Amino acid sequence: MADVWGRLTGKAGVCLSTLGPGATNLVTGIADATLDKSPLVAITGQAERTRIHQDSHQFLDIVNMFRSITKWNTAIASLETVRKVIRKAFKFAESEKPGATHIELSEDVARMETMAKPEPVVAVRRPLPDQKALAEAFLLLKNARRPLVLAGNGAIRKGASRHLRQLVENHSLPVVHTFMGKGAISDWNEQSLFSVGLGFRDFVMEAFNEADLVLSVGYDIAEYPPDAWNPDGQKIIIHIDFTTAEVYAHYRPQVEIVADIAATLDEISHFLDEANIYFEPSWYKPIRQRIQTDIASYNLSPGDSFTVPGTLNILRTLMGDEDLLISDVGSHKMWIARNFPVCCPSSCIMSNGLASMGIALPGAVAAALEQPGRRVVAAMGDGGFLMNSQELETARRLGVAFTVIVFSDNDYGLISWKQRMHGGRSTGTRITNPDFKKYAESFGIKAYSPRTLEQLSSDLQQALNRKELSVVDIPIDPMVGDQLVKRLRNGSP
């Protein structure tokens, strides 16, 4: 919840736990926030300082345990340090690149009283781009014929998406989004080539093959390894980000512009305007058309088995541009990333750097609390739902309204899909589900279990339009994934 809150607001979400098992239960959420660049502050309890020198009930070295999954973490040792520690935790969590920080509070320190006032918050201004680096980037762009923008997580933070949209629209630059960058420009925009990130070659890879320059905007290699789109390491790359590029054999930028992303995009836009540079769109328009045609090919007809991509096509027609879809992790996430058009930043959220199952349901609770007037959909597989389905009680108790979609195939579908791709069969992935409709109703929640195409469309529409919590259990045919892989291997990209 704190992770998703941070992504939606840009302000640190806060989570609190007891010592021992409470702290260990935070590990996955904290690691997810750090890898997906979400501002988060975790506060954990700890045993009294008088007993942490020995084996003691529920005592663990939490600070050391969290060291590798946080940007910064510490224990409050005295009252004199409280205000500084609190300010530092929030400053580090929210500064670029954002992530998780942690504060440990022992039982005896927690009982103390202080009159200290919070440290004042001072706005931090990010630096403007270096002129020499800009000049080098301009020269590369001037000589390019088929430049391609790779929009990552950073392209949707700090207002960067608005400046990116202006740049690509005015100069006909195609944009490929990572899963985390979805919405940096609208997929309805003619410059969008949708997303990249699947574990096999898809239509979008044609654009990388043909591009003679990649303008990397706010991209982290944790989002999608460069090996996949730059296999020989020879692409000309301009790196634009808040921090320097990772040292990586397949990601060696000719120019790094380390500065405010929005300001950098403005400078590049100004240069292209002044030089009257406009890129020919004919090379990437057929790729966009193939992607759109493929997405439309999954439309369901009466009598068809339900599929994730087919359901997503219905869902897209029912959801508004500003509505929020939160994706859990599983095979459905691959389809959401690939087939679900996104129209604006922060309208599609998923766990990607850590790829942690179980984020969608508590994430939707956070989104509904923070933006109560917004329609929110939490999409998950049956495996991910069972990991955190108890949060239906939390959502019900808090009175929040959103729609839960459970894609059911009685399997850990993404693992099965990968096993079949690599070994020809799956093993150890089957699960046995309860009746999800009755399960939801036992919490006093409205639930649907469609079995025909007419029911599917009607139930989804009713669930989205009801201003209350609802669950839609959709049985799916998972073999659509295998069919996609086979089709792509047999003659597409």
Side-chain angles (χ1 to χ4, degrees), residues 111-352:
R111 284 194 295 266
M112 298 177 182
E113 294 185 9
T114 178
M115 300 302 292
K117 296 180 180 179
E119 286 282 334
V121 178
V122 179
V124 177
R125 301 298 176 189
R126 294 174 295 280
L128 294 174
D130 176 75
Q131 291 300 308
K132 184 176 180 181
L134 281 171
E136 294 175 8
F138 295 159
L139 184 60
L140 291 174
L141 281 166
K142 186 176 180 180
N143 293 326
R145 292 294 176 266
R146 297 184 303 279
L148 173 70
V149 175
L150 175 59
N153 196 353
I156 62 173
R157 296 197 303 270
K158 309 300 182 187
S161 61
R162 177 168 58 88
H163 301 271
L164 177 62
R165 183 170 63 252
Q166 181 180 12
L167 169 65
V168 303
E169 288 178 352
N170 290 348
H171 301 282
S172 198
L173 281 159
V175 179
V176 174
H177 306 85
T178 65
F179 291 4
M180 298 295 292
K182 281 175 74 70
I185 72 165
S186 171
D187 285 327
W188 305 135
N189 189 306
E190 289 298 317
Q191 283 72 46
S192 174
L193 298 182
F194 297 81
S195 299
V196 69
L198 298 184
F200 48 84
R201 297 186 66 78
D202 206 345
F203 294 100
V204 69
M205 294 309 296
E206 295 180 37
F208 283 100
N209 293 341
E210 296 186 30
D212 57 4
L213 180 148
V214 174
L215 190 66
S216 167
V217 180
Y219 162 73
D220 296 315
I221 62 172
E223 299 179 69
Y224 187 58
D227 320 41
W229 56 267
N230 188 22
D232 59 6
Q234 299 303 308
K235 288 288 183 189
I236 296 174
I237 299 171
I238 298 174
H239 172 88
I240 300 173
D241 209 349
F242 299 106
T243 58
T244 58
E246 177 67 86
V247 176
Y248 203 90
H250 294 270
Y251 190 76
R252 294 171 174 162
Q254 278 67 27
V255 180
E256 293 189 39
I257 306 177
V258 181
D260 181 81
I261 292 177
T264 303
L265 294 173
D266 267 352
E267 290 279 4
I268 291 175
S269 225
H270 178 70
F271 160 76
L272 295 177
D273 288 339
E274 289 289 310
N276 196 29
I277 294 175
Y278 174 85
F279 298 103
E280 174 56 50
S282 60
W283 73 274
Y284 65 81
K285 281 192 172 181
I287 301 173
R288 174 176 167 82
Q289 184 59 55
R290 279 194 286 278
I291 295 171
Q292 289 179 302
T293 300
D294 188 77
I295 291 173
S297 73
Y298 290 98
N299 287 339
L300 296 172
S301 298
D304 288 348
S305 298
F306 297 158
T307 64
V308 173
T311 303
L312 292 177
N313 285 357
I314 296 172
L315 194 62
R316 182 67 276 180
T317 65
L318 298 175
M319 292 179 67
D321 288 357
E322 302 292 329
D323 292 343
L324 171 61
L325 175 65
I326 303 180
S327 172
D328 212 83
V329 174
S331 58
H332 67 283
K333 174 185 147 182
M334 303 295 108
W335 288 110
I336 287 171
R338 181 185 190 272
N339 283 43
F340 189 79
V342 173
C343 312
C344 57
S346 299
S347 59
C348 182
I349 287 179
M350 58 184 72
S351 170
N352 194 58

Side-chain angles (χ1 to χ4, degrees), residues 25-89:
N25 280 341
L26 293 184
V27 168
T28 298
I30 290 173
D32 190 89
T34 294
L35 286 179
D36 281 344
K37 310 301 183 288
S38 177
L40 178 150
V41 174
I43 303 171
T44 65
Q46 184 53 284
E48 291 191 8
R49 290 174 296 173
T50 56
R51 64 183 178 94
I52 61 175
H53 64 286
Q54 60 192 16
D55 286 345
S56 184
H57 179 65
Q58 292 192 328
F59 169 67
L60 293 170
D61 188 342
I62 299 169
V63 171
N64 273 327
M65 183 174 69
F66 283 178
R67 197 174 303 281
S68 66
I69 57 172
T70 56
K71 290 181 68 177
W72 179 79
N73 86 126
T74 193
I76 293 180
S78 66
L79 292 181
E80 290 71 28
T81 64
V82 170
R83 58 185 295 185
K84 296 177 183 177
V85 167
I86 296 294
R87 181 72 209 108
K88 187 171 181 178

